[in-house]
Amino acid sequence: MEIHKAIRESDDRRLKTKYNNAIYVIQRALALYSVDEVAFSFNGGKDSTVLLHLLRAGYYLHKAEKFGCNGDLMDGKIAFPIRTIYFESASAFPEINSFTYETAESYGLQMEIIRLDFKSGLEALLKAKPIRAIFLGVRIGDPTAVGQEQFSPSSPGWPAFMRVNPILDWSYRDVWAFLLTCKLHYCSLYDQGYTSIGSIHDTVPNDLLCIRDSNNPEGKFRPAYLLADGRLERAGRVKKFSSPACGQLSSVSNGVKNADLTWFSMQTASIIAVGDEILFGTVEDKLGHSLCRKLHSIGWTVSHLAVTQNDIDSVADEVEKRKSTNDMVFIYGGIGPLHSDVTLAGVAKAFGVRTAPDEEFEEYLRHLIGEKCTGDRNEMAQLPEGITELLHHEHLPVPLIKCQNVIILSATSVAELDIQWDCLIDLSSSTGFLVQMEPLLSKRLSTNIVDVEAAQPLSKLCLEFPDLYIGVYRATRKGPLLITFQGKDQARIEEATAALRKKFHTGAFSEVD
């Protein structure tokens, strides 16, 4: 088959891995359910277009394996039998409708058009002809992906069926790598700067793709596959008040006030510590605490702090989860030539690349530890191939390692971390990879009010001040309740603390240094 052949001949190792995993999910579903029991939800978007062609490849490979045929010979001779569902909407872009119908005709899809909302349409469809599983083009990061796995039963209150998500772990980059590698036709809107397409009422071209030059003073949009940061693919999902000009969207976010966007506009980081010794409880991890404070000092939020085993798969899984949902990932521990030092191999696996000798890094190591860095013991010079950038600084004996948005720290103490952090800040002033924002301001109050009495007023306060972080904790269970207000506007923090005092008597709270 042409899809399978294109992937097989590709040099993109990550894409091959994603493709093979998706085909496995599809073949597993086809082994569990008959073709008459499955359906495919197609909406004309990039994700469902990818899924359509994966299903075509998966079905032909499934048939070839079952009957011992050659998949290439079968290609084009057997119609694609999986029922295709299209929920047609009056608010859909005309280009989406046109592309959907053209695609159905090109590939002989057995398309059933439903003109009801998704839930009502499914209820009517399953009542007319029972379906046990539906293939969906859901990816991690989609609003509907929360809590889903590759095989997930439908939610309570919905018609009963199995949701099959073959591309759940695919990134924005993976989607476009597949479409471009296989030279597949996709909706023309993606060539006009649209990166995530909803309805005509909530979608505009992604302003991050806008360019201006002397020939186009008003600006034009580059195609979607040129978006550098896939995490921003939904930046064009806004409520439109009027047609946008390039670089100047006349819009507001979906139901969220501008003040509510403070936390969403911040840079986010995840921190990963690698070390069985931490999990065994024999060593206390002090670097994570220090790194959180350092990141907050430059206006970043930390979304996740994890400790993982000295195991390649464990490291790879954690990095894979965090690198696609954070601006930066910091990882430390497990760096060296010992059998338990697996961080570099884990990072490489997360990116779908191999480790390979780096002559420049090896030279630094040789100056540091002499001729001991030779032969089989030269494991520290094996770096993730094709994605590694060495961060040089005069105060660092050995450069730090950066793999796209993952920074590998070699510090083993807070003192060493202080030096490496200062070097990172110095380096980022010229390269810009670690954007420095306004530091977060904070204020802490202490009170002896019991949890039950404070719970509801604090919940209401969070709704009144969505631009602030309002956290509560106790140093000891019988000790005072400590309330932290954090944000970028001191006036808002003072306003929030005053509002809290109003809900109780004035002397109920004391300020903590």
Side-chain angles (χ1 to χ4, degrees):
M1 171 162 200
E2 80 279 5
I3 302 298
H4 190 66
K5 184 173 182 289
I7 298 297
R8 192 171 56 207
E9 295 175 352
S10 170
D11 294 328
D12 191 332
R13 292 173 179 268
R14 176 187 170 93
L15 179 59
K16 285 183 176 180
T17 300
K18 297 291 185 179
Y19 171 79
N20 290 332
N21 291 343
I23 292 296
Y24 171 77
V25 173
I26 291 168
Q27 290 183 312
R28 185 179 167 198
L30 294 175
L32 292 171
Y33 308 101
S34 70
V35 171
D36 293 334
E37 294 175 323
V38 299
F40 159 49
S41 178
F42 185 53
N43 63 13
K46 63 184 186 303
D47 298 338
S48 65
T49 301
V50 166
L51 182 54
L52 165 63
H53 294 288
L54 287 172
L55 283 172
R56 291 178 58 235
Y59 173 71
Y60 286 121
L61 291 171
H62 172 70
K63 294 289 285 185
E65 182 179 322
K66 186 174 181 180
F67 296 107
C69 303
N70 185 309
D72 293 329
L73 295 177
M74 293 172 58
D75 188 19
K77 295 183 180 180
I78 297 180
F80 182 68
I82 297 176
R83 296 170 65 193
T84 304
I85 311 165
Y86 178 49
F87 289 84
E88 189 177 87
S89 168
S91 61
F93 283 87
E95 293 88 344
I96 285 285
N97 280 330
S98 299
F99 172 74
T100 301
Y101 289 118
E102 288 170 6
T103 302
E105 184 177 354
S106 297
Y107 296 102
L109 304 184
Q110 302 176 33
M111 195 162 74
E112 299 183 30
I113 302 168
I114 299 175
R115 294 182 174 88
L116 300 170
D117 65 89
F118 197 75
K119 185 175 181 181
S120 302
L122 279 180
E123 289 172 344
L125 179 71
L126 298 183
K127 186 176 180 181
K129 188 174 181 180
I131 293 173
R132 296 181 61 193
I134 299 178
F135 290 100
L136 301 169
V138 173
R139 291 190 292 114
I140 289 295
D142 293 345
T144 58
V146 178
Q148 288 205 51
E149 298 183 6
Q150 290 172 327
F151 288 83
S152 290
S154 54
S155 303
W158 282 67
F161 65 93
M162 181 63 72
R163 294 176 288 189
V164 185
N165 304 310
I167 62 170
L168 187 65
D169 64 339
W170 285 42
S171 68
Y172 183 84
R173 178 264 187 203
D174 298 328
V175 166
W176 282 110
F178 179 81
L179 291 172
L180 297 175
T181 297
C182 298
K183 299 179 180 178
L184 297 169
H185 184 51
Y186 51 83
C187 179
S188 61
L189 289 175
Y190 292 112
D191 286 332
Q192 301 170 33
Y194 291 83
T195 52
S196 177
I197 301 173
S199 77
I200 58 175
H201 305 299
D202 65 5
T203 310
V204 295
N206 194 324
D207 197 46
L208 297 169
L209 291 171
C210 180
I211 55 173
R212 291 185 180 85
D213 54 37
S214 56
N215 296 324
N216 296 278
E218 294 184 2
K220 64 178 181 178
F221 288 93
R222 295 177 295 166
Y225 55 79
L226 293 180
L227 182 67
D229 190 342
R231 292 164 297 182
L232 301 173
E233 68 173 295
R234 296 181 68 85
R237 290 295 195 98
V238 291
K239 285 184 179 177
K240 297 182 288 184
F241 288 150
S242 61
S243 298
C246 185
Q248 186 177 354
L249 294 181
S250 179
S251 57
V252 295
S253 97
N254 287 325
V256 183
K257 298 176 183 177
N258 289 336
D260 299 347
L261 297 176
T262 302
W263 289 102
F264 298 102
S265 63
M266 288 184 182
Q267 300 286 313
T268 63
S270 274
I271 300 171
I272 304 171
V274 180
D276 290 338
E277 64 279 3
I278 301 173
L279 296 173
F280 292 157
T282 57
V283 171
E284 181 183 358
D285 175 32
K286 296 181 180 179
L287 271 66
H289 170 74
S290 179
L291 197 49
C292 284
R293 292 178 65 88
K294 292 178 186 301
L295 284 162
H296 281 140
S297 73
I298 61 169
W300 284 53
T301 58
V302 178
S303 66
H304 192 81
L305 173 58
V307 181
T308 188
Q309 297 172 303
N310 287 91
D311 173 78
I312 292 176
D313 289 338
S314 298
V315 173
D317 287 346
E318 197 63 44
V319 173
E320 174 71 25
K321 291 176 189 174
R322 306 304 160 196
K323 69 183 178 64
S324 59
T325 55
N326 290 269
D327 296 287
M328 197 69 72
V329 177
F330 294 87
I331 187 168
Y332 55 87
I335 308 295
L338 299 176
H339 69 286
S340 59
D341 293 325
V342 297
T343 295
L344 289 169
V347 171
K349 185 171 183 178
F351 282 97
V353 301
R354 66 176 184 174
T355 58
D358 186 289
E359 294 182 2
E360 181 186 356
F361 197 67
E362 183 177 350
E363 190 62 30
Y364 276 95
L365 292 176
R366 195 178 303 282
H367 284 299
L368 188 66
I369 57 179
E371 292 306 313
K372 293 179 181 179
C373 182
T374 58
D376 294 338
R377 302 192 61 182
N378 191 13
E379 294 297 326
M380 286 183 70
Q382 300 277 335
L383 303 183
E385 188 177 36
I387 60 170
T388 296
E389 177 186 352
L390 297 180
L391 303 177
H392 304 271
H393 194 280
E394 59 182 348
H395 293 150
L396 294 174
V398 176
L400 294 177
I401 301 166
K402 179 174 176 287
C403 298
Q404 294 189 13
N405 66 330
V406 177
I407 292 180
I408 302 167
L409 299 168
S410 58
T412 57
S413 68
V414 172
E416 290 175 357
L417 178 63
D418 289 343
I419 295 171
Q420 292 183 9
W421 178 260
D422 289 342
C423 292
L424 283 175
I425 294 297
D426 192 21
L427 289 169
S428 67
S429 63
S430 57
T431 60
F433 67 85
L434 194 60
V435 180
Q436 294 189 57
M437 307 174 74
E438 291 182 30
L440 297 175
L441 306 172
S442 63
K443 183 173 183 177
R444 284 199 302 164
L445 299 179
S446 173
T447 181
N448 289 318
I449 296 173
V450 297
D451 293 9
V452 174
E453 186 182 354
Q456 189 173 14
L458 283 170
S459 296
K460 291 181 178 178
L461 199 68
C462 290
L463 295 175
E464 293 174 28
F465 296 89
D467 54 321
L468 299 181
Y469 167 77
I470 302 175
V472 186
Y473 73 99
R474 292 182 186 278
T476 64
R477 177 47 58 187
K478 294 184 179 180
L481 199 66
L482 298 169
I483 306 170
T484 300
F485 295 83
Q486 197 168 46
K488 293 193 173 183
D489 188 336
Q490 189 65 47
R492 287 288 286 173
I493 292 175
E494 296 299 336
E495 186 181 347
T497 55
L500 180 62
R501 292 179 188 277
K502 267 189 179 181
K503 296 178 186 292
F504 300 93
H505 53 88
T506 307
F509 300 92
S510 57
E511 197 164 327
V512 180
D513 293 332

